[in-house]
Amino acid sequence: MTDDFGDAGNTDNAFFEAFLTLHHGLPRQAPGSDASTRALLSLCGPLPRRPRVLDLGCGPGRSALLLAAEAGGHGQDGAEVTAVDLYGPFLDELRTAAAARGLADRVRTVEADMNALPAEEVADGSFDLVWAEGSAYIAGFDTALARWKRLLAPGGTLVLTECEWTAAEPSAGARAFWDAQYPLRSTAANVAAAQSAGYRVLGVHPLPDSDWDEYYGPLAERVRDRAGDGSPAMARALAATREELDVRARHGHEYGYTGYVLRPVEAGDGAAWPARPETAADTAAVRAVNLAAFETPLEADLVDALRADGSWLAGLSYVAEAPDGSVAAHALLTRCEVGGAPALALAPVAVDPAYQRSGAGSSVVRALLAAARERGESLVLVLGHPSYYPRFGFTAASRFGIRAPFEVPDEAMMALVLDASVPVPAGTITYPAPFGV
């Protein structure tokens, strides 16, 4: 919330200054925690030994300090962080904290508006990691995706958090507040926006309620301490903050913050593993890959059984080719239902052991999901590893009121909305008969 009134400040400087004064000295300017920063960092994958990081809307620098110390490794590694904020006193706090932690040589501060970054200080193509916890809303999610891509070096990663609806049907009271402040979208809509803007989704991390407590706890105490302040501008800032705190208390179960880890799609992505629909000539090779990928023949037998079932959808069984033209990976989508509404089940996904951790699996899954989207499908479900499938945009199915017909860890049952214009059904998943559930 460091630049909340970046545009309004020109017309209402007193309110802007009162708002910043109210927040000055607080540990955070938006929901977050060191644990969530680390979780998002872990989703970025390998980074250069000393990555170049741009922290936009850094506030007093909790994320900047952690990234300087830990991104790329501890000790003599860490990151070179350029921290940008519009409010000088926040940057003073950051410089003091960096010096106290022995990080002064790793943190460079720039006092600037993130919507008007100085080219001489923040050059295009200069950063391995662009970071924006709790500040992307200042520009707007879609605008941030478009503007900040150019700042990334080849192979660079964008990490940002966004406030969004977690309830399928937000109440009128929640909408009345947020529609006037900053219209929220769902996770599915934001994933779709990121993909439409030319990003691959490496990971999605919903921030826990405790991250809101880290922000709102100290802020609520500050509001109580400033009660009775005689300044009209401060009175307005206090009233606005009290309203925000009250809305969270009454409607906090309907919205939350989610972190996104994104990487621009570059020319040649997936070219090493061209993916295509399977043909009749691939049947034996697909079975062989599934037999090799799993400890038992259950998955291979499942694919054969699904081929003979009414849930089979022509064109939604994909293979990725190895350099020699053989089948390196296989992924399958078949028809299932959620509460009686049509959906797709992603299962199985198999990679020949010789090609695992090579990108073949990711290539075939991305191509298959793209094919499903082009066919007009709207919802895909997968039971899988929660550290793998979020890179494709999957998130916990429970967020949509979708549940498996058997006991399963909540984070392992995931959903991907391909078409945000179609209402997401809620209810229990009905799998095709060959699944045996």
Side-chain angles (χ1 to χ4, degrees), residues 249-434:
R250 289 185 289 114
H251 300 288
H253 60 287
E254 300 181 62
Y255 61 92
Y257 255 93
T258 298
Y260 293 89
V261 181
L262 311 171
R263 184 166 296 155
V265 175
E266 298 177 352
D269 277 4
W273 305 102
R276 58 171 175 78
E278 73 161 48
T279 67
D282 297 315
T283 301
V286 166
R287 180 171 176 81
V289 166
N290 278 276
L291 286 170
F294 299 100
E295 295 181 355
T296 74
L298 291 176
E299 283 77 9
D301 292 345
L302 174 61
V303 174
D304 291 343
L306 287 167
R307 269 202 190 90
D309 188 72
S311 61
W312 183 269
L313 300 170
L316 290 185
S317 178
Y318 261 60
V319 298
E321 294 182 347
D324 64 1
S326 63
V327 173
H330 171 249
L332 176 63
L333 287 169
T334 51
R335 177 67 67 209
C336 68
E337 293 183 349
V338 175
L344 296 176
L346 174 58
V349 174
V351 182
D352 187 308
Y355 301 114
Q356 289 177 1
R357 300 185 182 278
S358 67
S362 293
S363 180
V364 73
V365 171
R366 288 195 179 94
L368 180 59
L369 294 175
R373 184 180 286 108
E374 290 172 4
R375 289 168 59 112
E377 298 288 344
S378 61
L379 179 64
V380 180
L381 303 163
V382 67
L383 175 62
H385 204 292
S387 68
Y388 180 73
Y389 287 97
R391 71 185 62 184
F392 308 110
F394 284 92
T395 187
S398 61
R399 300 185 72 177
F400 304 103
I402 298 171
R403 56 189 177 275
F406 42 79
E407 290 296 323
V408 62
D410 182 71
E411 66 273 13
M413 189 75 250
M414 290 169 277
L416 170 65
V417 176
L418 299 177
D419 185 353
S421 69
V422 177
V424 180
T428 301
I429 304 166
T430 302
Y431 284 97

Side-chain angles (χ1 to χ4, degrees), residues 33-437:
S33 65
D34 290 349
S36 286
T37 299
R38 290 189 177 100
L40 291 167
L41 184 59
S42 72
L43 294 172
C44 295
L47 295 170
R49 179 177 177 182
R50 192 157 185 174
R52 300 160 297 173
V53 178
L54 176 64
D55 187 356
L56 293 169
C58 64
R62 286 290 291 270
S63 297
L65 293 167
L66 189 150
L67 294 169
E70 299 182 18
H74 294 269
Q76 294 184 350
D77 296 327
E80 297 176 359
V81 178
T82 298
V84 178
D85 203 278
L86 186 62
Y87 189 49
F90 287 152
L91 299 178
D92 292 339
E93 289 183 55
L94 173 53
R95 285 189 291 267
T96 298
R101 299 186 189 192
L103 298 172
D105 63 330
R106 300 188 193 178
V107 178
R108 179 173 67 95
T109 60
V110 176
E111 187 173 339
D113 185 341
M114 68 167 65
N115 290 318
L117 295 169
E120 66 277 9
E121 298 275 8
V122 184
D124 290 356
S126 295
F127 299 97
D128 303 300
L129 198 56
V130 172
W131 201 274
E133 282 192 61
S135 59
Y137 76 96
I138 298 161
F141 190 76
D142 294 343
T143 300
L145 295 177
R147 286 183 180 173
W148 296 347
K149 184 187 292 185
R150 63 180 174 79
L151 301 170
L152 292 167
T157 303
L158 171 62
V159 177
L160 68 170
T161 62
E162 177 75 346
C163 193
E164 56 190 30
W165 296 121
T166 56
E169 296 291 339
S171 65
R175 283 198 175 278
F177 176 80
W178 281 109
D179 287 353
Q181 300 291 328
Y182 182 77
L184 305 185
R185 299 190 299 205
S186 65
T187 301
N190 284 328
V191 166
Q195 292 171 333
S196 296
Y199 290 89
R200 286 192 290 127
V201 181
L202 303 185
V204 177
H205 175 70
L207 272 60
D209 287 344
S210 57
D211 281 15
W212 288 82
D213 297 336
E214 286 212 21
Y215 171 49
Y216 276 157
L219 179 59
E221 185 176 346
R222 176 66 58 81
V223 168
R224 288 191 295 270
D225 291 344
R226 297 298 297 255
D229 191 300
S231 162
M234 180 57 72
R236 286 180 56 203
L238 288 167
T241 305
R242 289 191 191 98
E243 181 185 16
E244 183 179 338
L245 293 168
D246 181 62
V247 169
R248 181 64 188 176
R250 289 185 289 114
H251 300 288
H253 60 287
E254 300 181 62
Y255 61 92
Y257 255 93
T258 298
Y260 293 89
V261 181
L262 311 171
R263 184 166 296 155
V265 175
E266 298 177 352
D269 277 4
W273 305 102
R276 58 171 175 78
E278 73 161 48
T279 67
D282 297 315
T283 301
V286 166
R287 180 171 176 81
V289 166
N290 278 276
L291 286 170
F294 299 100
E295 295 181 355
T296 74
L298 291 176
E299 283 77 9
D301 292 345
L302 174 61
V303 174
D304 291 343
L306 287 167
R307 269 202 190 90
D309 188 72
S311 61
W312 183 269
L313 300 170
L316 290 185
S317 178
Y318 261 60
V319 298
E321 294 182 347
D324 64 1
S326 63
V327 173
H330 171 249
L332 176 63
L333 287 169
T334 51
R335 177 67 67 209
C336 68
E337 293 183 349
V338 175
L344 296 176
L346 174 58
V349 174
V351 182
D352 187 308
Y355 301 114
Q356 289 177 1
R357 300 185 182 278
S358 67
S362 293
S363 180
V364 73
V365 171
R366 288 195 179 94
L368 180 59
L369 294 175
R373 184 180 286 108
E374 290 172 4
R375 289 168 59 112
E377 298 288 344
S378 61
L379 179 64
V380 180
L381 303 163
V382 67
L383 175 62
H385 204 292
S387 68
Y388 180 73
Y389 287 97
R391 71 185 62 184
F392 308 110
F394 284 92
T395 187
S398 61
R399 300 185 72 177
F400 304 103
I402 298 171
R403 56 189 177 275
F406 42 79
E407 290 296 323
V408 62
D410 182 71
E411 66 273 13
M413 189 75 250
M414 290 169 277
L416 170 65
V417 176
L418 299 177
D419 185 353
S421 69
V422 177
V424 180
T428 301
I429 304 166
T430 302
Y431 284 97
F435 280 84
V437 295

